[in-house]
Amino acid sequence: MKIDILTLFPSMFDGFISESIIKRAIDKKLVEINIHNIRDYSTDPHKKVDDYGFGGGKGMVLMPQPIFDAVEDLKGENTKIILMTPQGIKYNQEVAYKLTNEKHLIIICGHYEGFDERIRSIVDLEVSIGDFVLTGGEIPAMAVSDSIIRLLDGVIIDESHLNDSFNNNLLDYPVYTHPVDYKGMKVPDVLLSGHHANINKWRLEEQIKRTKERRPDLLEKR
Ligand code: ADE
């Protein structure tokens, strides 16, 4: 998969692409991530990318020209263009799974003050990562890319995302490591038993119990 990200703050992505699982996925060529500075596409002599909003009220608004030109330049035959905005569909694991089928994504990071409405005309999907407002679309773009990349074949051991929270609308089961007894809190006996059928049964029961307690809305979807 190829992901092109359009942003006014490219250096925000330095850590994202140079650490841990995402870096490994890039090194193994399981994903290609390109970070593009929207400013580089401005045809303005001063590389201006925003201007005041007509009608007043708002602060600076991202102009359509650099975004239209960047998308035109980067887009291929099978490109899905995503705009990060609090007005988009609410992102979840199901949307992440669907997006793993795409070959090429262009993710546009919205601007803190707003973006020209006409930008919406070239976008396939508007995505929000939740009902709160961030200063820009960069953190949402990282969240969305990360959640897709970890699901791509070969990125993490297959089994480790099969039991993720939200798969089958259940939260994940509890896990423990050494020591067996920490400050009087013990690892459940079943996990030390080596009896895999019992362990699986216990895990499913814990998933259901936990989901009932914390996210009853998910159980209703099952
Ligand atoms: N930009 C600012 N807030 C956002 C959010 N919650 N989701 C996506 N993009 C955003």
Side-chain angles (χ1 to χ4, degrees):
M1 175 185 280
K2 179 158 100 167
I3 305 178
D4 285 299
I5 297 176
L6 297 178
T7 171
L8 285 171
F9 305 103
S11 61
M12 283 182 75
F13 292 86
D14 290 352
F16 177 61
I17 58 175
S18 63
E19 297 285 347
S20 186
I21 292 170
I22 303 301
K23 176 184 182 340
R24 238 177 21 231
I26 296 169
D27 290 346
K28 287 207 267 174
K29 304 209 181 321
L30 300 171
V31 66
E32 176 186 332
I33 304 181
N34 305 303
I35 312 295
H36 306 272
N37 192 336
I38 294 170
R39 207 170 287 284
D40 292 341
Y41 285 93
S42 171
T43 51
D44 178 82
H46 305 291
K47 296 284 168 200
K48 202 168 140 86
V49 288
D50 51 12
D51 211 330
Y52 67 88
F54 288 118
K58 284 262 182 190
M60 299 299 271
V61 174
L62 191 57
M63 298 190 294
Q65 176 275 316
I67 300 289
F68 271 64
D69 285 4
V71 167
E72 191 52 41
D73 183 41
L74 298 169
K75 146 177 124 177
E77 276 191 6
N78 294 307
T79 304
K80 188 151 194 119
I81 300 158
I82 300 176
L83 176 66
M84 303 313 306
T85 158
Q87 297 182 17
I89 58 152
K90 211 189 268 181
Y91 194 67
N92 61 21
Q93 192 69 6
E94 194 185 335
V95 182
Y97 268 109
K98 276 196 191 133
L99 289 174
T100 60
N101 296 319
E102 300 293 334
K103 291 273 166 288
H104 181 206
L105 301 176
I106 294 179
I107 303 181
I108 305 167
C109 302
H111 194 38
Y112 34 93
E113 311 263 22
F115 47 83
D116 188 287
E117 187 65 17
R118 290 163 289 190
I119 289 172
R120 292 204 146 96
S121 69
I122 53 165
V123 164
D124 299 310
L125 183 68
E126 297 186 25
V127 172
S128 162
I129 60 162
D131 289 343
F132 48 89
V133 180
L134 295 162
T135 53
E138 282 73 17
I139 291 170
M142 285 185 239
V144 165
S145 307
D146 185 289
S147 65
I148 297 167
I149 293 166
R150 68 185 284 285
L151 294 175
L152 297 177
D153 281 348
V155 173
I156 52 178
I157 345 162
D158 274 353
E159 259 184 72
S160 64
H161 66 70
L162 292 181
N163 290 312
D164 280 348
S165 287
F166 307 113
N167 276 353
N168 307 316
N169 287 309
L170 286 177
L171 298 181
D172 203 356
Y173 50 74
V175 293
Y176 294 83
T177 184
H178 292 280
V180 169
D181 186 335
Y182 185 67
K183 296 185 193 255
M185 294 178 281
K186 297 201 175 78
V187 175
D189 287 339
V190 63
L191 296 180
L192 309 172
S193 68
H195 193 300
H196 288 292
N198 284 354
I199 292 173
N200 288 341
K201 183 166 167 283
W202 178 84
R203 285 178 167 166
L204 181 60
E205 284 164 3
E206 288 296 316
Q207 283 189 281
I208 294 170
K209 190 168 104 193
R210 196 159 267 217
T211 312
K212 232 181 231 168
E213 281 165 9
R214 299 176 182 217
R215 294 292 305 275
D217 58 303
L218 291 177
L219 282 182
E220 276 162 33
K221 285 198 213 157
R222 264 171 76 81

